[in-house]
Every structure is written in structure tokens, then in C-alpha cells.
Amino acid sequence: MRERAWPVLAGVAEWIKSRVTHTSRGYEILESMGIAERKTSVANPIFTNLSARKVLAAATRMAGALGLKCDPVWADIAIALVVPEADGVLISHDGFRPDEEKGETPDPLTAFFPLEAPFPEPLEQATLRACLERADAYVGAPMLSALLGAWAARTGDREAARHWLEEGYAKFCVGRFSQTLEYRKDKFPEQTPAAPFFANLGGFLMSLIFGFPRIAPSDASPDSWPCGEVVLPAGWDAIEIDQLWIGDTAWRLRATHGQVAQLDRA
């Protein structure tokens, strides 16, 4: 931790500090491209800001664990970094309009998975519904499409979870060997087919290991990582992994629908 992790984490924390602007709202990250390609930069892209919060909090905790001094501004920024919100939902960036770009990236959903940022349940559910209502214009694009099923499961709707898993991942898989494409051919026929696309494969595996089972990795013991009741797609009973390696120790995961997942040493 001291020799390898700390220099990296502290360096990223210092870089984040160099990018923020202190304003009457708190701290802001201005002129950023955010999670995906944009034609113009935006202020306070939500995935960037929430990721920065997570890194700064982790760096502050690690400094304490190692008995090191760190810049107290890190903790201040982690608390006061602006998170864009409008009309009771999280939004992609300051000034976001749902009609500003066809098929906009549903990055507010990353607040709940994989970032597991703590927000009130009404805000989470309203954001989930708002983004999923617009998801048909996005699904078929690479990367975040594969997570749509896990996000739909957070609403408690098993049929929606099944639907969005099918739309967001299964329909990317084609041919004799079920190659996972970068873009869905029916949604983006102008794109040259490219496979296997590892970001989509990775998103699918993330959903199975972390998203549906509600597993939130932290520096605490892994048996404390399950963080909520499991909701699985319609027709699924459980997700089981016999060996899940965490560090040099094998663990066993069983995520049964309607229960809190169990993560035990194998």
C-alpha cells in the first residue's frame, strides 16, 4: 500500500485538486469531456465528479491508515464537489437537456453502479426511471449498454431487467461463436462490425459479478460487500460463482433473487 498504491492514489488526488475551481456552489470541474466523446466540453460531468469524489475520499482514508499527512483540501473537495441535479433527478452535466443529443450516454446511472454513491432512495429511483425511459435511443452503443439490465434491476422490475439485458448485451452477440460486437448491427448499420469488443464483455461480467448481486467492493472485509437485496432478471433464480479471487484468497458468491448475496471464503 505504501510503496505502490499510495503514490498513484496521491498523484491522482493532486491532479483532481489542480482541475477544480472553488465557487459559491462548492468545487466544480469546468470544461471537461466527461465519460464519452462530446463535440464540446461541459461543466461538472456527473461521472467525472462522482469518480473524483470517490478517489479523494479513498486517498484521505489511505493516508490515515498509513499515518501520513495529506492535503486537507482533498477531503473538502470530496464533500463539496458539485453533483448536477435538476427536477429531482441526477443529470449528466450542468445545463443538461434530454433533447440536446440523440442517444445521450446515460451516465447518471453510474452513480448507483458501479460507483455506489449514497443518494436518497427517491432520487435514485427517479433518476433510474428517467434514464431508462430514454434508453432506447442509446442502447446499441458500446460500453454502458451492457449495464442497462443491472440498472433496471435496481427499480425492482424483473421483466425490465430481462428486457434491458437482452437489448443491452444479448443482441450484440452474433455469428457461430456469439462474437460480442462493438455496436449492435440493427441500431448502427453504418458501423463496421468489430469483435470481440472487450468493453461490452467486461460490462456484462461486471453486471453478473457486482451489479445484479449488489456487491460493492471496499477496503473492508469482502463478506461485508453485499449491500442490498438481489433482484434478478425474470426467469433467473440465482447467480453462483464457485471461485472468486480477491487478493490471494478464493471466495464463493451466491446471489439468490430476493435475498442479500452471500460472499464466503471458498
Side-chain angles (χ1 to χ4, degrees):
M1 185 187 295
R2 184 182 299 272
E3 295 178 5
R4 297 186 181 184
W6 170 250
V8 175
L9 201 54
V12 176
E14 279 295 299
W15 180 83
I16 293 169
K17 187 182 78 169
S18 76
R19 288 287 288 115
V20 301
T21 301
H22 196 196
T23 72
S24 60
R25 300 172 69 192
Y27 291 92
E28 304 188 56
I29 296 179
L30 308 174
E31 301 296 328
S32 173
M33 298 309 287
I35 194 172
E37 297 89 349
R38 300 182 187 275
K39 293 179 181 178
T40 58
S41 58
V42 295
N44 298 311
I46 191 167
F47 179 78
T48 300
N49 285 28
L50 287 176
S51 298
R53 277 185 163 193
K54 199 174 185 76
V55 168
L56 292 165
T60 301
R61 286 197 309 272
M62 186 175 288
L66 294 172
L68 299 174
K69 290 183 178 180
C70 69
D71 191 331
V73 174
W74 295 356
D76 294 340
I77 298 171
I79 294 170
L81 193 57
V82 169
V83 177
E85 181 182 340
D87 300 322
V89 300
L90 301 178
I91 56 176
S92 292
H93 54 80
D94 282 355
F96 171 79
R97 302 187 320 276
D99 62 345
E100 70 180 29
E101 183 178 350
K102 182 181 182 297
E104 76 278 354
T105 303
D107 43 342
L109 297 175
T110 63
F112 316 117
F113 165 62
L115 295 177
E116 300 291 348
F119 286 101
E121 184 71 11
L123 177 62
E124 177 176 343
Q125 291 300 315
T127 303
L128 287 165
R129 289 194 299 271
C131 290
L132 291 171
E133 284 170 2
R134 301 193 300 268
D136 193 59
Y138 172 80
V139 70
M143 294 182 284
L144 293 190
S145 288
L147 306 181
L148 285 168
W151 285 321
R154 298 282 177 119
T155 69
D157 187 335
R158 302 188 70 187
E159 283 294 341
R162 182 205 58 76
H163 169 78
W164 287 115
L165 185 62
E166 179 79 16
E167 293 290 313
Y169 183 72
K171 289 186 178 180
F172 283 78
C173 303
V174 300
R176 292 175 59 199
F177 304 105
S178 293
Q179 292 264 39
T180 303
L181 296 177
E182 178 180 9
Y183 287 89
R184 260 178 57 178
K185 293 171 67 175
D186 59 328
K187 288 278 191 173
F188 294 91
E190 73 281 6
Q191 294 287 342
T192 302
F197 191 68
F198 278 80
N200 292 342
L201 288 162
F204 176 58
L205 291 174
M206 281 179 63
S207 293
L208 296 183
I209 298 170
F210 302 109
F212 291 117
R214 299 294 301 272
I215 299 296
S218 71
D219 46 14
S221 174
D223 56 13
S224 71
W225 291 0
C227 63
E229 185 177 294
V230 174
V231 176
L232 295 179
W236 293 31
D237 297 319
I239 294 173
E240 298 183 23
I241 301 177
D242 289 334
Q243 282 195 330
L244 184 64
W245 288 91
I246 303 172
D248 58 359
T249 304
W251 293 72
R252 181 181 297 108
L253 172 66
R254 178 174 176 83
T256 303
H257 174 75
Q259 301 178 18
V260 175
Q262 293 178 294
L263 193 55
D264 304 304
R265 291 180 183 272

